[in-house]
Amino acid sequence: MTAPQPDHVHRISVVTPVYKGELTLPTLAQEMVALRGEQVSEDGHRWELTEWLLVHDNGPDASADTIAALAADQPFVRPIWLSRNYGQHPATLAGMASSSGDWIVTLDEDGQHDPADIGRFLDVALRDNAHLVYAEPTNEAPHGMLRNAASKGAKWVFASFLAGGAVQTFQSYRLVLGELGRSVAAYAGAGVYLDVALGWVVGRISHVDIELREEGGRPSGYSMRRLLSHFWRLVLSSGTRGLRVVSALGVVFGMSGVLFALYLVISSGMGRPTPEGWTSNMVVVLLSTGAILFSLGIIAEYVGVAVGMAMGKPPYLIISDPKNGPLGRRPGSR
């Protein structure tokens, strides 16, 4: 294998939103410390964990003390203090905006994501020339049956009906090109679902098989209300695809009214008996319903454009020459 050039070392920032990390962060910190110094992936790519950004999202436990202790003990730990609890995705965006690495890795605080897999993410990104790499779990998530089923159902609805961009399957363990991640964090508006925002700008997405671990015994930070709110944010920030269904229904109802009216006129002309007033009532109902739905669909399109602007969806995003950036850093390249 040709030795890579010494200056072609991929600098990786890891972002971890922290809500209930008092019990799990110390163990995760030991694994992160073990990755300090230059690492070489299975495909021969050199990488270095340059910073670990712990974003304190004001949870109910003593996570703040744990973060402060880790930052005092390890110089590569960078605490990010939020003013109040904002939720996982805003906290992740805050960490991405504060990062400086060539690549950004996001992983959870609960220990279910193994940091040792980071090198494999990098290999897939460079092998597939991908801007974004998601974990593809090979086992069930360490949650209850109901939550796992709800998560699968939500992702299926998103992929089948709402995904207008590139992202159709996603996971909170992900690797994204640094400048793309920081750009998304800069323009994403309030309430936007992080993976939807990433789907606006990424060119190629890949997945890497990983095995999820147990959560370390801490209670989940997601109640059923929070999970439903999480899903609703996904729906609302997914663009106008769902709104276009309303327009399509309006066209269908309107055309059905016209065709049914023709059918009834022809039937009446052929002498087929119909109840008095029934024909006109059915035609009016179908045509008016179609017109109302179609009108609502048009209004929804305008609302969708305004929502997209409010959420910060950019018309374009300029990045540096890929050959001179992290995607061009391969063993033996100059």
Side-chain angles (χ1 to χ4, degrees):
M1 180 182 297
T2 304
Q5 300 299 313
D7 57 332
H8 286 180
V9 178
H10 296 265
R11 298 177 299 111
I12 294 181
S13 301
V14 176
V15 174
T16 300
V18 179
Y19 181 71
K20 289 183 178 180
E22 177 185 2
L23 301 178
T24 56
L25 280 178
T27 301
L28 183 58
Q30 295 177 7
E31 297 177 317
M32 298 293 285
V33 170
L35 296 176
R36 292 287 288 150
E38 188 174 298
Q39 307 288 321
V40 180
S41 69
E42 295 177 359
D43 288 357
H45 301 114
R46 302 163 78 107
W47 63 278
E48 182 180 4
L49 176 58
T50 57
E51 58 184 356
W52 185 22
L53 297 102
L54 296 176
V55 186
H56 182 240
D57 198 24
N58 291 271
D61 63 357
S63 293
D65 296 334
T66 304
I67 293 173
L70 290 174
D73 186 55
Q74 298 294 336
F76 80 107
V77 174
R78 289 184 54 197
I80 307 294
W81 307 102
L82 299 184
S83 61
R84 63 172 178 83
N85 173 250
Y86 287 92
Q88 182 183 15
H89 285 204
T92 304
L93 286 168
M96 293 168 67
S98 305
S99 68
S100 60
D102 301 318
W103 299 90
I104 300 171
V105 169
T106 64
L107 59 82
D108 291 348
E109 63 183 3
D110 53 21
Q112 66 173 316
H113 300 150
D114 189 350
D117 291 324
I118 291 176
R120 298 177 57 229
F121 278 81
L122 183 62
D123 285 343
V124 170
L126 294 170
R127 191 184 308 144
D128 297 345
N129 199 35
H131 294 158
L132 175 62
V133 179
Y134 281 106
E136 186 70 44
T138 58
N139 60 326
E140 289 286 346
H143 308 303
M145 183 183 302
L146 180 60
R147 178 172 169 180
N148 284 338
S151 177
K152 288 181 180 179
K155 291 179 179 179
W156 178 82
V157 169
F158 176 70
S160 302
F161 303 105
L162 302 176
V167 178
Q168 294 194 6
T169 60
F170 46 86
Q171 236 269 344
S172 57
Y173 197 6
R174 58 176 85 81
L175 176 141
V176 61
L177 196 62
E179 62 178 338
L180 284 180
R182 285 184 285 274
S183 296
V184 167
Y187 64 67
V192 68
Y193 199 90
L194 173 57
D195 298 291
V196 172
L198 289 172
W200 290 339
V201 297
V202 294
R204 184 187 295 270
I205 299 173
S206 290
H207 296 81
V208 58
D209 291 339
I210 62 118
E211 183 176 353
L212 297 177
R213 307 184 298 186
E214 293 297 324
E215 289 187 310
R218 51 143 253 187
S220 173
Y222 280 101
S223 63
M224 182 57 66
R225 183 184 64 83
R226 289 172 66 92
L227 287 172
L228 290 174
S229 175
H230 205 53
F231 174 68
W232 193 238
R233 175 183 295 179
L234 171 63
V235 172
L236 292 180
S237 59
S238 295
T240 60
R241 192 165 183 174
L243 302 177
R244 291 191 177 114
V245 174
V246 177
S247 299
L249 285 174
V251 173
V252 169
F253 271 83
M255 293 300 297
S256 298
V258 172
L259 294 176
F260 192 63
L262 290 175
Y263 168 75
L264 292 177
V265 169
I266 294 173
S267 297
S268 299
M270 296 177 63
R272 293 182 180 177
T274 55
E276 184 178 355
W278 183 81
T279 301
S280 58
N281 284 336
M282 289 300 298
V283 171
V284 169
V285 167
L286 288 171
L287 290 176
S288 59
T289 302
I292 292 171
L293 288 175
F294 186 68
S295 300
L296 287 175
I298 294 175
I299 295 172
E301 288 288 341
Y302 284 104
V303 172
V305 172
V307 169
M309 294 172 61
M311 289 187 174
K313 183 176 182 179
Y316 60 86
L317 182 66
I318 299 175
I319 63 173
S320 58
D321 183 356
K323 292 184 179 179
N324 296 328
L327 286 172
R329 298 176 185 172
R330 306 173 188 275
S333 63
R334 293 182 180 274

